[in-house]
Amino acid sequence: MDIGQIIIYLALLSSLYSVWAYYSGINSKNPKLLYYGERAIYLTSFLVLAASLLLWYYFLTDNFWIEYVASYSSRNLSDFYKFTAFWAGSDGSLLLWALFLAGYMVAYLRIEKKDLLSAYTMLVSMLVMVYFLLLLSTVSNPFQGLGFLPVDGIGLNPLLQTPEMAAHPTTLFVGYAGSAIVFALAVSGVLIADDKWVLRARKWIVFTWVWLTQGIFWGAIWAYKVLGWGGYWGWDPVENASLLPWITLSALMHSIMIQEARRGMKLWNIILAFITFEFVILGTFITRSGVISSVHAFGQSNLTPPFMIMLFLIPLATLWVIYERKDYIKSQDIVESPLSKEATFLFNNLILVASALTVFWGTIFPLISEGITGFKVTIGPPFYNQVITPLSFALIVLLGLCIAFPWRRAHGKELVDRLKIPSVAFIIGLGAGLILQLRIEMILATSVFLFALTTHIRQYIRDTSAFKDQYGNLSSIKIILRRRRRYGGYTAHLGILIVFMGVAGGIYTQTYEDVIMSVNEQRVFGEYTLIYRGLGFKEDNLKITWYANIEVWKDGKFVTVLRPAIEKYKTGNEEEIRRVDLYTEFPKDLFVILNGAEQNRALFEVKIDPTVNLIWLGSWILTFGGIFALIPRKFVKEFVFKSESEVET
């Protein structure tokens, strides 16, 4: 037995002891047992880290007698990709999941107050850790030996040998692991009827949401630049699995504000926390079980039974907690008027949940149809686009109304004053779209974008002015830092609006063409002239590469040379993949794919997406908004304000 597996077994024993110590300590109100449970968390985390470091060591030193290393690495692989091969397969990715969860628990113990809520939260979190360590100890052992030493490993899938795929799983898994803490806080808070869980969960929700945002962003970049089909989102089941928890966590991030301010939506919040974690486990299951075919998914495995058990246990536990505390989770009636911020939050949540349920149904329906009829029915992009598109438009409008409407109730004159400028912006958008003869969908998208953007700009100016009066001689930067949650939210909304326009522009104005070009032949695409200058060839220890040389000219001036390529790898199954190349003039991309070549001719796919870079920009703005809202109060007080006497209230 490998030492790595022994470490996993020890981590499992330590986690089980921690669960027992916390459970017994809570029931007996024995602080000593709670202390032992806490120490066991530190020990478990250390052992999981040790196992992870050992597996990385095996990859970096070519220990091919470990089956997992032999399956995803080779001698010619660079050290960087040997490092990322850690999470290339199911076994290593589950160990990475456990490593990040351990990191969260250690951070929680270092940050949060040690009280009954924290004890319950750690108990629930450790139960999740026990689950993953059980998998790693039995059906998903990353330290399984081959029984012989091969000369070389199979190698890493070429599609995974990209920086984007180094970033995508790690960022997504940080978000996945964070959802366990959010779920544990929600269940614990309801179980002990303690509203402090809302205040405590707020930062963990935002932190988790930031990482899920980055995970989706890097996955989209990978699909766009690496897969070679010219898009960034194809409504693939594994793509959907990463989107689902982001949607429901976004809803929770808004609805929790209602419970914090008005003691409303208590039941809704516990359900959203449960659904988010359930979607995370579902996403982990879909990717790693092989039950759904996807370019993102791993092959067939024996993980289906344990994941199905987990998927049933989570809702059962949640329903039991809800039943036990049904009196506590009764919420106050907080919507006094449909023309209020509370109402927009409610409608916002309904739209987000409707979107999540649509995506969920489209994802699992092929499994249901195959189980009932024996035939797998595939649901493609048209289904999602028909349902999600109107929901997206409604959500953008609500983003504007949410900012424009006040709390409790909007009165007539006040409402007119708040909406008159955004309404003018909406009309300007309609007029400009008609003049430019855009498609009706693009005209409507531009108009609602301008409406929502104007409400945010107007409210930003009004808030800054009001806070200036409140805080007296403080600078605008210090005022924004003092109100970082509010302005972080505004910034995140701005990111959503920009992503919306990027997606809409790509859907409704993108142009593409398949073309055969001979050497030195010129073709005009939009404002660009492309000249094919023939093929190039290069070879290294890992692969053989054929690449096309395409000159790009604009307005009679040389711009750049694009080199889309086809690579054939020497390891594994000698995979052959396409490497796209692109030229960016913000916000558009000229995107070229080499599909094949013979003698003096080559087949290309050329696309011009006029707004795709707005998606990447909006994603970073989204991320920055979340990070800004997370700036600790202690940091602001200590390093931004010299003393509280600076503030005039």
Side-chain angles (χ1 to χ4, degrees):
M1 182 184 297
D2 185 79
I3 187 174
Q5 192 61 23
I6 294 174
I7 294 174
I8 294 293
Y9 287 145
L10 292 175
L12 176 60
L13 291 174
S14 176
S15 63
L16 287 169
Y17 175 78
S18 180
V19 168
W20 173 83
Y22 268 112
Y23 179 78
S24 302
I26 289 170
N27 284 337
S28 63
K29 299 180 181 179
N30 186 338
K32 193 172 184 179
L33 283 175
L34 296 179
Y35 173 80
Y36 289 152
E38 180 183 324
R39 297 295 101 183
I41 288 179
Y42 285 117
L43 176 59
T44 302
S45 301
F46 172 78
L47 291 170
V48 171
L49 175 61
S52 301
L53 292 175
L54 181 62
L55 186 59
W56 267 309
Y57 172 78
Y58 284 162
F59 270 106
L60 293 172
T61 55
D62 296 330
N63 281 281
F64 297 129
W65 51 273
I66 297 294
E67 181 180 357
Y68 186 72
V69 176
S71 299
Y72 296 102
S73 185
S74 63
R75 297 188 184 279
N76 291 330
L77 196 63
S78 69
D79 286 345
F80 176 76
Y81 290 119
K82 287 179 182 178
F83 182 85
T84 64
F86 181 105
W87 51 83
S90 174
D91 300 345
S93 63
L94 292 179
L95 180 56
L96 187 71
W97 219 114
L99 178 64
F100 287 146
L101 180 58
Y104 269 103
M105 288 191 292
V106 170
Y108 186 97
L109 290 172
R110 304 296 296 177
I111 293 172
E112 301 292 356
K113 181 181 179 182
K114 309 291 177 58
D115 56 12
L116 184 60
L117 176 59
S118 289
Y120 269 100
T121 301
M122 289 296 95
L123 172 60
V124 176
S125 300
M126 283 305 292
L127 286 171
V128 178
M129 176 64 82
V130 166
Y131 169 75
F132 280 100
L133 290 175
L134 277 171
L135 293 181
L136 292 167
S137 300
T138 53
V139 296
S140 194
N141 177 8
F143 296 100
Q144 181 68 45
L146 273 175
F148 64 95
L149 180 62
V151 176
D152 201 356
I154 295 174
L156 184 64
N157 187 326
L159 293 175
L160 304 183
Q161 295 181 39
T162 66
E164 294 82 7
M165 193 43 67
H168 167 58
T170 49
T171 51
L172 192 65
F173 274 31
V174 174
Y176 276 8
S179 71
I181 300 296
V182 173
F183 173 72
L185 270 166
V187 169
S188 302
V190 173
L191 192 59
I192 64 176
D194 187 349
D195 279 341
K196 287 199 301 289
W197 83 265
V198 174
L199 302 175
R200 199 166 291 180
R202 190 173 60 205
K203 57 181 171 291
W204 298 102
I205 291 172
V206 177
F207 186 81
T208 300
W209 179 86
V210 165
W211 286 102
L212 287 176
T213 301
Q214 278 292 292
I216 294 170
F217 162 75
W218 286 111
I221 284 280
W222 176 72
Y224 181 66
K225 292 186 175 181
V226 177
L227 290 187
W229 62 284
Y232 49 84
W233 194 267
W235 295 109
D236 180 273
V238 176
E239 293 174 346
N240 296 347
S242 68
L243 180 63
L244 285 169
W246 185 90
I247 294 174
T248 53
L249 199 65
S250 298
L252 178 60
M253 194 159 49
H254 288 80
S255 64
I256 203 171
M257 295 169 62
I258 300 296
Q259 184 170 345
E260 180 183 349
R262 303 287 304 278
R263 299 178 65 82
M265 304 184 78
K266 291 183 179 181
L267 175 60
W268 186 250
N269 286 332
I270 180 67
I271 291 175
L272 283 177
F274 143 66
I275 291 177
T276 299
F277 187 55
E278 182 82 349
F279 281 157
V280 162
I281 298 299
L282 177 68
T284 309
F285 164 64
I286 286 176
T287 309
R288 281 143 195 87
S289 65
V291 296
I292 290 182
S293 298
S294 166
V295 69
H296 308 265
F298 302 123
Q300 293 292 327
S301 74
N302 52 359
L303 289 171
T304 298
F307 268 102
M308 292 302 296
I309 292 172
M310 187 67 163
L311 287 170
F312 280 108
L313 285 179
I314 295 171
L316 287 176
T318 306
L319 289 173
W320 176 79
V321 170
I322 290 173
Y323 175 77
E324 288 292 314
R325 295 294 181 264
K326 54 182 178 294
D327 293 331
Y328 162 73
I329 60 177
K330 288 182 179 178
S331 302
Q332 298 180 9
D333 186 6
I334 48 92
V335 180
E336 299 178 11
S337 167
L339 303 178
S340 65
K341 197 178 293 290
E342 292 91 334
T344 61
F345 275 41
L346 176 60
F347 292 134
N348 161 289
N349 266 238
L350 292 176
I351 289 175
L352 288 172
V353 170
S355 301
L357 291 177
T358 299
V359 176
F360 173 68
W361 176 248
T363 303
I364 67 164
F365 181 75
L367 296 179
I368 296 175
S369 66
E370 185 177 27
I372 296 176
T373 66
F375 299 97
K376 183 176 289 188
V377 178
T378 302
I379 293 182
F383 164 77
Y384 297 102
N385 293 337
Q386 289 175 5
V387 181
I388 297 298
T389 297
L391 291 174
S392 299
F393 277 81
L395 184 63
I396 297 302
V397 173
L398 272 176
L399 282 182
L401 295 178
C402 173
I403 295 297
F405 286 170
W407 292 100
R408 295 185 181 276
R409 183 184 299 272
H411 300 285
K413 186 177 180 181
E414 178 188 19
L415 189 59
V416 171
D417 179 62
R418 288 171 178 260
L419 292 179
K420 61 183 179 183
I421 295 178
S423 298
V424 170
F426 179 85
I427 294 171
I428 291 173
L430 288 177
L434 291 171
I435 292 172
L436 295 173
Q437 297 183 336
L438 300 177
R439 288 179 55 175
I440 184 63
E441 297 94 343
M442 193 62 194
I443 294 174
L444 186 58
T446 304
S447 300
V448 299
F449 165 78
L450 290 174
F451 171 82
L453 178 65
T454 309
T455 60
H456 281 74
I457 293 174
R458 178 188 176 279
Q459 194 62 35
Y460 181 92
I461 295 172
R462 286 174 63 92
D463 283 356
T464 303
S465 176
F467 295 148
K468 192 73 176 176
D469 293 338
Q470 179 181 357
Y471 294 123
N473 64 341
L474 286 184
S475 67
S476 297
I477 294 177
K478 289 184 177 182
I479 290 172
I480 292 172
L481 283 168
R482 199 159 178 84
R483 294 284 182 165
R484 57 202 172 280
R485 282 184 62 195
R486 180 185 294 251
Y487 288 109
Y490 290 168
T491 304
H493 283 185
L494 176 62
I496 287 287
L497 295 177
I498 293 174
V499 169
F500 172 78
M501 282 305 296
V503 173
I507 292 175
Y508 302 125
T509 61
Q510 183 186 85
T511 57
Y512 61 91
E513 184 178 348
D514 293 322
V515 60
I516 297 175
M517 296 177 67
S518 300
V519 175
N520 298 325
E521 182 179 355
Q522 297 185 14
R523 288 294 182 96
V524 176
F525 294 92
E527 57 192 316
Y528 302 106
T529 299
L530 305 186
I531 305 176
Y532 173 48
R533 296 301 191 187
L535 283 179
F537 170 85
K538 59 183 178 181
E539 183 177 2
D540 56 32
N541 292 332
L542 194 62
K543 62 184 182 294
I544 302 171
T545 304
W546 296 268
Y547 58 91
N549 293 289
I550 302 177
E551 293 180 1
V552 180
W553 295 70
K554 181 180 178 182
D555 300 328
K557 297 179 180 179
F558 172 76
V559 175
T560 188
V561 175
L562 296 181
R563 293 186 173 90
I566 296 177
E567 298 176 344
K568 184 173 183 178
Y569 283 74
K570 300 176 181 179
T571 57
N573 298 319
E574 297 187 344
E575 294 95 341
E576 188 173 284
I577 66 172
R578 297 176 295 175
R579 296 291 187 189
V580 306
D581 202 1
L582 54 89
Y583 171 66
T584 299
E585 279 189 319
F586 188 86
K588 67 175 174 289
D589 271 352
L590 170 65
F591 186 98
V592 182
I593 305 169
L594 173 62
N595 283 328
E598 61 178 15
Q599 297 181 343
N600 294 323
R601 298 192 307 168
L603 174 62
F604 300 97
E605 184 177 346
V606 182
K607 295 177 181 285
I608 297 179
D609 192 321
T611 58
V612 67
N613 287 286
L614 292 179
I615 299 174
W616 318 138
L617 174 63
S619 298
W620 282 110
I621 292 175
L622 265 172
T623 301
F624 175 76
I627 293 173
F628 188 79
L630 284 170
I631 296 176
R633 180 181 301 179
K634 182 179 180 181
F635 173 86
V636 173
K637 291 179 66 175
E638 183 175 351
F639 295 102
V640 177
F641 301 105
K642 294 180 180 178
S643 68
E644 285 298 316
S645 61
E646 287 190 53
V647 182
E648 295 179 8
T649 58

